[in-house]
Structure formats: C-alpha cells, structure tokens
Amino acid sequence: MSFFQLILKNLLRRRSRSLLTLGGIAIGIAAVVSLSGIACGFERSWANVYKARGTDLVVTKSVTRSTMPGPFPFALKTELQKMPHVREVGALLSDVFSIEDSPTILVIGWEPKTSLWNHVKLVSGKWPEDSSKGTVALGTLNAEMLGKTLGDKVQIESGEYTVCGIFSSSALAESGAIVMPLPAMQSLSNKEGMVNFFDIWLEPNTSAEETEQLRRSIKAKFDGLTAFNPGSVAENNIAMQIAKAMTWAVSSIALVVGAIGVMNTILMSVFERLHEIGILLAIGWRRWRIMQMILAESLLLSFVGGLAGCGLGVVAARLLQMSPWVHGKLEADVGLPLLGIALLIAIALGALGGLYPAWIGSRMSPATALRQ
Amino acid sequence: MVRARTAPGHMSSTNALIEVRDLRRSFDQDAVQALRGVSFTVAQGEFVSVMGPSGSGKTTLLNILGALDTRFEGAVTIDSVELRHLPDPERFRSRTIGFVFQSFHLLPALTALENVQMPMFERRWRASERKTRAAALLKSVGLEHRLDHRPAKLSGGERQRVAIARSLANEPKLLLADEPTGNLDSSSALKILEVLGAIHQQRNMTMIVVTHDCDVAAATNRTLRLRDGQLLEKQIAPGA
C-alpha cells in the first residue's frame, strides 16, 4: 500500500462528508472561474475594440461617476489635432440604452469621415448618412439579439430609427452595439457638441517614448481629461473596475466558505480518529508524518474539488455568457492561466484548511489517545 | 512453542539491552506516585514478564519503556539510548520498539496486510517491498489465508496475531506486550503464547510482557513483580 492509497482510503471512509466538502470547494472555485472569466472577457472585449480600430491613444474624462465616462466638448479636438505626432483624431459619444424588450445595449456615435468607420465591415445595406438623424447600423450580434433586419424600425428612448445597415466587427462589444453618426447620437442623448472619447492615431514611426510624452502632455494640457494606451483600458474604465471588484468580493466569500468547509471536514475526521492517530504514533509514526497524512488528505480533497470547480466554472461561464444580460456584450475568457490560478487557489485552500487539524493531530500524546 | 524458564540474574551489564535505575513517575502534581524507585536490567534476548495487581504501575512502566512517556525521574536506557526527555521518541520507537496491546489497536478500515505495513512507512522501503514483508510476517504468525481481511472479520486471536506481526514490521530489538492474552479465550491465549515463544526463540528478541496470567509469566525467563510502584525483589544482575 502506498501513502497515496492510504490517504485515499481515509477520505473514502466518509464518502458523503468528503463529497459534500468537495462540492463546497468546487462551487467556490467555480465562482472564481466563471466570474473572473466574465470579468476578463469584459476587459478583453473592450481591449479588442481599440485593437480593431488601431487606436494609439484614447482620451477621456479622468473622473467619472457613471459606467460611461462623462462628456466633454468636441471643440477640444482642434487643439489635440495640433499636438506633435498626432495624425488623426476621431470623436465618439457612447452610452447604454434599454432598447425595446432587450436589456441595456451599447449605442455609439462615431464622428463622420474619420478612421473610426474603417475597421468595421458592412455586411448588408449602407452606413447611416452623416446628416441623417433617423438611421442606424446594427452590429451582426445586435441584429440577431433584437431580431431586426434592414428597413426595420428600432425604438431608442423616444426616437424611432430605421435600420439602414448591418456590420460586423472583430470586437464583440461593437458586434453587439448600434452605431450612428456622432451628431445623431448627440441629439439622442441631449449632449449637443459633446463627446466622451477621442481616439487618436499617431504618425507612423512614433516611438513608445514619444507616445508616452504625448500622453503626459495631453493630461497636463487638458484639465480633467486623461489619455491612456488601449492596453491599459481596464485601469481607466470604471465599469471594469467595478466588475473586477465584485468578482473578487463574491469569489472571496465563496473561497472563505470553501476553506471553512475543508477545515471542518478535516478537523472532524481528525477528532474522530484521535485513537487511530495515537496508534500510529505508538507504532512509530513520526509527528511530521501524521501532519503529512492529514495535510495530504486536505490537499487531495481540495485538488479534486478544484478540478471539479474548474470544469463547473467553465460551464457556468458559458451559461452566463448566454444569458440575456450578458449575451452580445462580452464573451467569457476562461483560459489556461485562469484555470491554473483557480487550481492553485484550491490547493492553497486545502493547505490552509488542513494546517490546523494537522497540527492538532500531530501534537497529541499517544498514551492519552490509546486510552480513549 | 514456549521456552523453558531460566534463572533470573543471568545477564551482565555488558549485554544488557535495558537498564532502569531509580525510576520514579508521579501524576497529578505528585498526588499519585505510580513508580517509586524501580531499578532492573534486562539482557539482550531475554523474555521477561511483569506482574502485579491493578494500579501497581505496570502500564506506566511499559509506557516509559516504549518511550510513550518520557517525563519521568531516574534513568532508563534502552540500546544505549537514554529515554528521559528523548527529543524524538517516535523515531526511537520506530527503530527499536514493537508494541502489542491488549485491545489489539488495529486500524479498522485497513486489511490485515495493510495494518502490518503501517509501521513500515517510517522505513525507506518501496510499496512492493512493504507488501512482501507484511505478507511474510503474517505467514509467520499463521495468517497467510487472512491477508485481505479487515479486523472486524477476524477472531480475537487472529487480530492479536496481526498485531504481533505488525509489532515486528520494522525488525525491532525490543517487543513490549501489554496483556496480550487479556482479551482472549484460553485456546486463543495459548496460541498467542506459542507465537510469542516462537518469535523469541527464532529471532532471539528481547521481550517484556505485562500480564496477569500466570501461564504467560511461566513461559518467560524471568518475572518482575510490582506492587505499589515498587519491585518486590532486587532485579539487577550481580556486577551490573
């Protein structure tokens, strides 16, 4: 009999309790995997937007109270355009609206005749005319979600819009969005002359140092505005920060419950086996081996629970992704690194949960235990 | 087979495996004095019984000899190792002592073969070697047909034979048995006595048996009699 077989035997002696603990750990880890997967997907979805556009710098308000950055004057574009290395500036105004029976949908107003329109591909119909306030283009996923096609009407707030085009984008956030010209969006959201993003494209051959210098210059020159690289979008997006914070809050609660479950199970199993542990000590088992046995039981339980949790988390993330609130806005990003971290967390839980019971078991007096 | 009884005091200090000098052990802040100045020696290969009424200090003595209790006064040396405040008694037990208990103390979830392998985890033997050794030990106590039986499926005598096989797992120098026949019927007790006698003869192993049974005591080389924590007669060999 190997040491591993002994550990396994000890756990299988109380199958129901071991299974329940395993289930508790699996749920905790599944919460970590699914919620973190969604949060990572949210982050990646936005990062993909800027990647698809080829944007070098994004300018937005540095402080905002809502999930969307607050508006600032479109007129600032002229000054931005004059700054060194700037090739082009494109203005955007975006917001989320509840449209017809669907939950919140992203609506974006792009400045006409800028590179903002270049990265998306028109699948059918045509782009909304610059001067028109009555037409919109739908992303393919959005058209599918709303069940709309060319010529259909879309009710956004109090206005009615005609679908004139359907486009595809490699970024999921755009694919699930509605696009219209900037003036139309300003009118829809009652923010005439305002925008909440400037996308900046720099001249070719602009070095990383020059980009960083420009970023600092923009921040210094325009009070209340900040410029950031598309790669650091998560740090500058309040919605993402909230999503991440909530993910870790919920995951932490689930993990604490899991750790207490492990400790409870292993502690009960140690107290039930005090006599047996006494026998092992009496026949020459050293205290560190008793500790090793109890810790190994805890770690094995957590490892298997972690594996089950990873599987459960992947399924949960897929189900969450298909829910109406999430569908079309982001896709879960459950990669191997996340699963690896989740498994490490599970193992850490096992170590933490097993440490105290292992210490209790290894400190006992064999003579006392044998008398029980 | 049981060895013939030999006269006490046949050993000298040169071949003594156990030396006990002025051993004292009290509990409850000296309210209970379990052992009061016990001194004796046991030679390598000797088979000794310890007798005495309940509360005379037999189990306390056995616990001290087995390094289960190292908080005593006096000196106890086994195989040249001083047991008082021994820093790693488990390591010492693993290498030097084999224990047989009155209540067998087998692990109920494990088979006979697995129970015998348990002490071997402290040796650097591979799993296959542990299994082979355990099977051989069980065969030596006549249980080769009971390898995969759990304790609940074994008779009292068979359980005690498994416990004896387990006590020999790490090839100890000293076997300590606490009332090994105390929970057995006379026929099973006789069988256990034969097994212990055979082990003593074949391995020339030093054995100390705590017992109330005069038949068991009669099968040993020498008997130490305890009363109220003291030996009834001097047990140190001349010249020791």
Side-chain angles (χ1 to χ4, degrees), chain B residues 98-100 106 112-113 115-120 133-143 147 157-172 175 192 195-196 199 203 205:
Chain B
F99 258 116
V100 177
L106 297 175
L113 191 65
N115 261 292
V116 176
Q117 289 177 63
M118 294 311 284
M120 299 181 192
R133 282 174 178 270
L137 284 169
L138 283 168
K139 190 179 176 188
S140 75
V141 295
L143 288 177
L147 301 186
E158 286 173 330
R159 287 181 210 178
Q160 195 59 296
R161 279 190 276 160
V162 174
I164 291 170
R166 182 182 65 184
S167 73
L168 302 172
N170 286 346
E171 299 167 349
L175 192 142
I192 291 301
V195 169
L196 290 175
I199 291 165
R203 298 174 181 246
M205 182 181 278

Side-chain angles (χ1 to χ4, degrees), chain A residues 1-9 285, chain B residues 114 117-118 121 125-128 130-131:
Chain A
M1 184 175 55
S2 67
F3 195 64
F4 178 76
Q5 284 173 314
L6 176 67
I7 304 301
L8 206 57
K9 242 180 185 190
W285 269 42
Chain B
E114 290 165 343
Q117 289 177 63
M118 294 311 284
F121 280 104
W125 292 331
R126 284 191 294 185
S128 57
R130 285 200 290 265
K131 192 174 176 181

Side-chain angles (χ1 to χ4, degrees), chain A residues 283-284, chain B residues 17 44 78-79 91-99 116-125 129-130 132-134 136-137 140 163-176 199 202-207:
Chain A
I283 62 173
Chain B
L17 182 77
Q44 165 64 45
I78 296 179
D79 197 24
R91 182 184 167 88
F92 171 77
R93 267 201 300 279
S94 164
R95 288 166 183 255
T96 313
I97 310 280
F99 258 116
V116 176
Q117 289 177 63
M118 294 311 284
M120 299 181 192
F121 280 104
E122 289 301 322
R123 302 296 284 260
R124 290 183 181 175
W125 292 331
E129 192 178 355
R130 285 200 290 265
T132 310
R133 282 174 178 270
L137 284 169
S140 75
I164 291 170
R166 182 182 65 184
S167 73
L168 302 172
N170 286 346
E171 299 167 349
K173 290 186 173 173
L174 172 64
L175 192 142
L176 300 174
I199 291 165
Q202 288 160 12
R203 298 174 181 246
N204 191 32
M205 182 181 278
T206 312
M207 292 164 68

Side-chain angles (χ1 to χ4, degrees), chain A residues 296-320:
Chain A
E297 286 172 20
S298 174
L299 286 172
L300 181 62
L301 206 58
S302 307
F303 179 72
V304 177
L307 280 180
C310 284
L312 206 64
V314 171
V315 173
R318 295 275 177 270
L319 289 175
L320 270 172

Side-chain angles (χ1 to χ4, degrees), chain B residues 212-230:
Chain B
H212 279 112
D213 190 337
C214 292
D215 290 339
V216 174
T220 62
N221 302 140
R222 181 160 62 110
T223 300
L224 304 178
R225 293 179 194 280
L226 274 171
R227 180 171 292 169
D228 299 330
Q230 289 180 307

Side-chain angles (χ1 to χ4, degrees), chain A residues 272-287:
Chain A
E272 276 177 10
R273 290 185 294 162
L274 285 181
H275 179 70
E276 289 181 24
I277 291 169
I279 294 170
L280 292 173
L281 285 167
I283 62 173
W285 269 42
R286 295 170 80 179
R287 293 186 185 276

Side-chain angles (χ1 to χ4, degrees), chain B residues 8-104:
Chain B
H10 68 285
M11 75 291 184
S12 71
S13 64
T14 50
N15 69 348
L17 182 77
I18 303 171
E19 290 195 39
V20 177
R21 307 251 171 209
D22 196 26
L23 174 61
R24 293 169 191 276
R25 180 67 167 109
S26 55
F27 299 97
D28 298 335
Q29 295 175 326
D30 294 341
V32 179
Q33 293 193 319
L35 293 172
R36 300 187 294 169
V38 172
S39 299
F40 64 92
T41 55
V42 176
Q44 165 64 45
E46 206 180 357
F47 190 178
V48 175
S49 53
V50 179
M51 292 191 82
S54 295
S56 60
K58 302 188 298 295
T59 301
T60 304
L61 176 64
L62 208 67
N63 284 347
I64 289 171
L65 292 177
L68 292 174
D69 180 0
T70 57
R71 285 188 278 179
F72 54 83
E73 289 175 55
V76 177
T77 308
I78 296 179
D79 197 24
S80 305
V81 176
E82 171 55 62
L83 300 194
R84 192 173 178 216
H85 301 310
L86 192 64
D88 191 355
E90 289 77 30
R91 182 184 167 88
F92 171 77
R93 267 201 300 279
S94 164
R95 288 166 183 255
T96 313
I97 310 280
F99 258 116
V100 177
F101 305 96
Q102 179 178 2
S103 308
F104 324 125

